[in-house]
Amino acid sequence: MLTPQKIRVAFEYKKTERYQLAYESVVEIMRNTAIPRHKKLQSIAMMIDAAESGMRQCEKSMR
């Protein structure tokens, strides 16, 4: 299972598969029947926030 931490690290270090990992995490959330419908959007938002956090950290380290 992909976690927000794994997504953040992938974007922070510009791993080549970072966008694929983000896509797969969203698909995994949407297909997971254990996650209630009202929690899916919150889970997807956490993944997006993690990606944004990783991108910001990457930009900081490049300065």
Side-chain angles (χ1 to χ4, degrees), residues 1-49:
M1 171 137 183
L2 294 165
T3 64
Q5 179 66 18
K6 288 179 184 177
I7 298 297
R8 188 188 66 74
V9 169
F11 277 87
E12 183 176 344
Y13 293 102
K14 286 192 168 185
K15 292 186 177 179
T16 55
E17 72 277 6
R18 63 191 180 272
Y19 290 104
Q20 183 65 31
L21 289 173
Y23 171 77
E24 288 173 9
S25 69
V26 170
V27 169
E28 187 176 308
I29 290 166
M30 293 304 292
R31 288 186 180 161
N32 189 339
T33 58
I35 301 174
R37 181 179 282 173
H38 65 281
K39 293 283 188 179
K40 288 185 184 207
L41 189 56
Q42 182 180 5
S43 297
I44 292 169
M46 286 175 27
M47 293 297 182
I48 293 170
D49 288 344

